[in-house]
Each structure stands twice: as C-alpha cells, then as structure tokens.
C-alpha cells in the first residue's frame, strides 16, 4: 500500500513537471552550467547545476512559483498518507506513522526533483527539523510580522552555499491541535504520553490555532547564485 502511494506520488510529479516562466533577463541568459556532486548523495554521483550571476527578478519569480508548487505537492503527500493512517488505524498509529514516514515521503520527492525539502521549526518535534542559524533569522522575521498582525509571505533567500531557498510559513490549523495543542487539553493524555515516548525532547506543543509553527524550506540544489561567497 505504502509503495503504491509513493509510486503514484512520484508519477504525479514527473507528469506535472515544474512551471517555468518564459521571460528571461539579460543576466539570466548568461547563466552557465556545470557538474557537481548532488547534496546528500555519494560523491560519485553528479548533477547539472546552473550558475547565475545574480538572483534576477525573472529568476526570483520562477523560483517563487516552483517553490509554491513543491510545497503543495509535499503537503499533499504527507496529508494524504496521514489522513489514511488516521482513518484506518487511529491517532496512535498515525503518530508512529509520522515518526517513521513523514521525512521519507518528502525525501522521495526531493530525490526526484533534485531539491531539498524540509519542514523546519524553532519549536521542533523531530530534532532533524530544527532551524539552523540562517533559518532562525528568517523565522524570527516571520514571527515579528505575525505579532505585528502582518501577513507573512513566502520568500526566496540565498543560503550559505549559494543555493536559493524558498520559505513559506506553516500555521497551526484546527486539525493540528490533536498533536500540537496543550497536553491533556487539546491533546488527550494517551496521545501526549505517546508523543513523549517517540520524541523525548519534543517542543512542538502548546500552540493555538493560527499561530506560526515552523516553515517549509525548499532548497534548489541545481541552482547557484554567483554573487554569494561559496
């Protein structure tokens, strides 16, 4: 069942592809391509990387579109699988499912599209999803915007390796409260105990509906911006 779901998900991505804009600036046309080891893959494997002199307006627009598409596909993959786990076996099984399968699902998408797909948070549940120093700064800006009643919008920034990264805030929805609300209030005692068992250092609780919980980080490994120090 799980294998069939992965195959369906990957085929959906391959068929739909990524949206690209036709508009090109002069700077974009000067982009060059080179081979480099793909991130998180053996050094013997290489991937084609396009190097741009700057993050031009047209490239920025294209990455904003592609980032939004990848977030939607990732959300669809996780939500579909989690909903099925909840309906079939209940919340306790769904917790085990998230613990074992949420990251592999996004990793499967990432390998197909040569991007990095992560959900990162300051108040993390899985330590692998903890924000790094660069992401802490971006997340703080999102939090300040939320506090000031602004509308935190998706953005593209350049990471320390020169790769553009699409960020989108993750807000807590009502259906999230079962696992991310207050223990023994929105989170039943047995579910709270199971979360503590699976994630001894869990910080992803005590949220309210609408609050920021983390953010999507989509890293475009096949693009380098030359103006950043490598």
């Amino acid at each position: 069942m799980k294998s069939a779901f992965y195959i369906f998900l990957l085929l959906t991505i391959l068929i739909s592809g990524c949206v690209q804009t036709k508009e090109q600036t002069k700077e974009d046309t000067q982009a060059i391509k080179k081979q480099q080891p793909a991130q998180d893959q053996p050094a013997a494997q290489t991937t084609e990387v396009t190097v741009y002199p700057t993050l031009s307006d047209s490239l920025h627009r294209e990455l904003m579109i592609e980032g939004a598409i990848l977030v939607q596909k990732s959300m669809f993959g996780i939500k579909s699988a989690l909903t099925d786990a909840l309906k079939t076996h209940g919340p306790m099984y769904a917790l085990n499912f998230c613990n074992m399968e949420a990251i592999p699902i996004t990793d499967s998408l990432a390998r197909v599209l040569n991007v990095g797909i992560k959900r990162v948070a300051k108040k993390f549940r899985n330590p692998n999803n903890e924000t790094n120093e660069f992401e802490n700064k971006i997340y703080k800006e999102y939090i300040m915007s939320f506090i000031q009643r602004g509308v935190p919008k998706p953005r593209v920034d350049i990471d320390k390796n020169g790769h553009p990264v699409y960020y989108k805030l993750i807000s807590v929805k009502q259906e999230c409260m079962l696992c991310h609300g207050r223990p023994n209030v929105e989170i039943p005692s047995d579910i709270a105990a199971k979360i503590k068992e699976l994630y001894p250092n869990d910080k992803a609780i005590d949220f309210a509906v609408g609050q920021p919980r983390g953010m999507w980080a989509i890293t475009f490994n096949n693009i380098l911006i030359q103006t950043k120090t490598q």
Side-chain angles (χ1 to χ4, degrees):
M1 176 68 180
K2 184 164 59 179
S3 299
F5 169 76
Y6 284 153
I7 293 171
F8 166 75
L9 194 58
L10 298 181
L11 286 175
T12 301
I13 295 166
L14 291 172
I15 292 171
S16 60
C18 293
V19 175
Q20 294 185 347
T21 58
K22 294 182 179 180
E23 182 181 356
Q24 290 275 323
T25 65
K26 184 177 180 180
E27 290 175 339
D28 288 341
T29 60
Q30 296 172 349
I32 59 174
K33 295 183 177 181
K34 67 178 183 178
Q35 298 288 324
Q36 75 168 26
Q39 289 188 358
D40 302 323
Q41 294 184 13
Q45 297 183 17
T46 59
T47 183
E48 191 174 73
V49 175
T50 302
V51 182
Y52 291 87
T54 61
L55 180 60
S56 64
D57 289 344
S58 62
L59 178 59
H60 181 272
R61 285 193 295 271
E62 182 176 336
L63 295 178
M64 288 289 287
I65 293 171
E66 292 189 10
I69 291 172
L70 291 172
V71 165
Q72 287 298 317
K73 289 178 177 178
S74 300
M75 289 174 61
F76 170 79
I78 294 174
K79 188 173 182 179
S80 296
L82 182 56
T83 299
D84 183 64
L86 279 167
K87 288 183 177 179
T88 306
H89 301 288
M92 204 65 72
Y93 175 84
L95 274 174
N96 283 295
F97 177 88
C98 281
N99 179 254
M100 299 296 296
E101 302 298 341
I103 290 179
I105 287 174
T106 53
D107 284 350
S108 296
L109 295 171
R111 282 193 295 271
V112 170
L113 298 169
N114 188 29
V115 295
I117 302 177
K118 291 187 69 176
R119 294 176 298 163
V120 296
K122 187 70 175 175
K123 291 179 64 176
F124 56 86
R125 175 151 290 170
N126 188 324
N128 293 327
N129 297 130
E130 183 177 8
T131 51
N132 58 35
E133 184 178 354
F134 179 72
E135 292 162 345
N136 282 337
K137 179 182 177 182
I138 295 173
Y139 190 59
K140 182 178 179 180
E141 292 176 11
Y142 270 137
I143 295 297
M144 293 304 298
S145 177
F146 174 79
I147 291 174
Q148 295 168 5
R149 299 185 182 278
V151 180
K153 297 180 179 179
R155 55 190 283 177
V156 172
D157 291 88
I158 310 300
D159 69 12
K160 65 179 182 179
N161 298 314
H163 296 293
V165 185
Y166 173 88
Y167 292 103
K168 182 177 181 179
L169 194 68
I170 299 173
S171 297
V172 176
K173 295 180 172 57
Q174 184 61 52
E175 57 265 32
C176 304
M177 296 298 287
L178 178 65
C179 294
H180 295 287
R182 294 167 295 175
N184 303 315
V185 181
E186 291 88 9
I187 307 176
S189 57
D190 58 337
I191 298 296
K194 187 65 176 180
I195 290 173
K196 196 66 178 177
E197 175 189 332
L198 294 172
Y199 305 96
N201 300 312
D202 177 46
K203 299 179 180 181
I205 55 173
D206 295 322
F207 286 102
V209 174
Q211 288 184 336
R213 189 176 73 79
M215 57 188 183
W216 286 95
I218 310 294
T219 304
F220 293 92
N221 298 322
N222 61 336
I223 294 176
L224 280 174
I225 307 301
Q226 215 169 33
T227 53
K228 296 297 291 185
T229 302
Q230 305 299 311

